[in-house]
Amino acid sequence: MGIVYELRRYRLKPGGYAALSELFDRAFVSPQIELGMELPGEFADLDDPDTFVWLRSFPDMAVRRDALSAFYTGPVWRAHGDAANGAMVNSDNVLLLKRTDSDLPLTRDVVRAMASGGMVVVTTCSLAPGGAEGFAAEFEAAARPVLERAGMKIAACFVTECSPNSFPRLPIREGETVFVWLSVFASDEAYTAHRDALAVDPDWRDRVFPALNRLVWRPMETARLRLLPSAH
């Protein structure tokens, strides 16, 4: 088993974003890294101000269990957990994922080098059970070349990690099958230019997008994110 990732999306109480993002960077980033976790990035949702999105990863599911147990029973969470939870409506919109395009870790330094000052777009495709590998193959063979030709820089691709939740205290979206890709754009204008290019590309419009769309059971979900500044 390789690296496992959590894509975490928190629904916040109105006005809770500023307090949680400040607390998170000040109190939670370094202690998690010290326990063996990687935190590739924390993000603001450009279309939903009451949302906090972040990525966390672990070398494997056993490390995930031990690291999360140490953190959520440790002094940092005891000191600040009530404040963090007090800003949230829910914290269980979590996808457990593994990469399909590389065995290399998606690290904090890599994400900051790619996305600082630009836009990160997360696209989530909901699939039938057992459909992840086929979708990933179709994406690599047919979609990725067309998307990159239109100006998209793809940072990472993921499918569902199907292992049982090794730390049940933190719920995840179990029983779902997804393909997720992260893309990076230098600016809002670059993203708009990309969408305009796809709209007139006959390969995308007539061949690639319809083929992908037949493999999903609900419309693809797209989130436009901005990487948060960090002291780490």
Side-chain angles (χ1 to χ4, degrees):
M1 180 185 297
I3 300 168
V4 292
Y5 294 82
E6 296 173 344
L7 176 59
R8 309 188 66 87
R9 184 178 181 89
Y10 294 166
R11 166 62 52 195
L12 306 181
K13 296 176 182 177
Y17 173 80
L20 181 63
S21 59
E22 187 281 330
L23 173 64
F24 194 97
D25 193 62
R26 171 171 52 84
F28 294 156
V29 172
S30 290
Q32 291 184 82
I33 293 173
E34 290 168 4
L35 288 170
M37 303 177 238
E38 178 69 53
L39 275 66
E42 303 83 48
F43 306 91
D45 190 312
L46 296 175
D47 300 307
D48 188 347
D50 294 325
T51 293
F52 182 79
V53 181
W54 60 297
L55 278 166
R56 177 164 62 186
S57 70
F58 312 83
D60 56 40
M61 291 296 285
V63 173
R64 178 179 182 269
R65 177 198 61 221
D66 295 343
L68 292 180
S69 179
F71 180 73
Y72 287 103
T73 61
V76 172
W77 188 251
R78 284 199 299 271
H80 302 290
D82 287 347
N85 286 331
M88 302 179 199
V89 175
N90 66 65
S91 60
D92 58 357
N93 186 353
V94 180
L95 292 171
L96 192 63
L97 306 168
K98 59 184 178 181
R99 285 190 74 170
T100 62
D101 58 337
S102 175
D103 293 328
L104 297 175
L106 188 65
T107 66
R108 196 171 186 83
D109 289 344
V110 167
V111 171
R112 303 205 85 76
M114 290 190 300
S116 182
M119 180 191 296
V120 176
V121 177
V122 178
T123 305
T124 303
C125 306
S126 296
L127 309 172
E133 301 305 326
F135 190 97
E138 179 74 14
F139 182 87
E140 286 295 324
R144 187 173 192 139
V146 176
L147 293 169
E148 291 180 337
R149 186 174 70 208
M152 176 183 284
K153 181 177 181 181
I154 297 174
C157 299
F158 307 89
V159 293
T160 302
E161 168 56 62
C162 296
S163 300
N165 186 359
S166 59
F167 191 71
R169 175 176 165 182
L170 294 186
I172 61 174
R173 288 163 56 180
E174 296 185 89
E176 298 188 35
T177 301
V178 299
F179 178 89
V180 177
W181 81 87
L182 274 62
S183 52
V184 180
F185 297 89
S187 63
D188 296 1
E189 293 76 16
Y191 179 62
T192 299
H194 163 75
R195 288 173 58 86
D196 290 345
L198 282 184
V200 297
D201 187 323
D203 280 345
W204 177 256
R205 184 187 62 226
D206 301 332
R207 179 177 60 86
V208 176
F209 180 75
L212 293 181
N213 208 39
R214 284 193 292 270
L215 299 175
V216 300
W217 62 267
R218 66 184 180 192
M220 299 180 195
E221 301 172 24
T222 300
R224 303 185 312 126
L225 309 177
R226 186 82 68 201
L227 182 67
L228 296 178
S230 174
H232 307 278

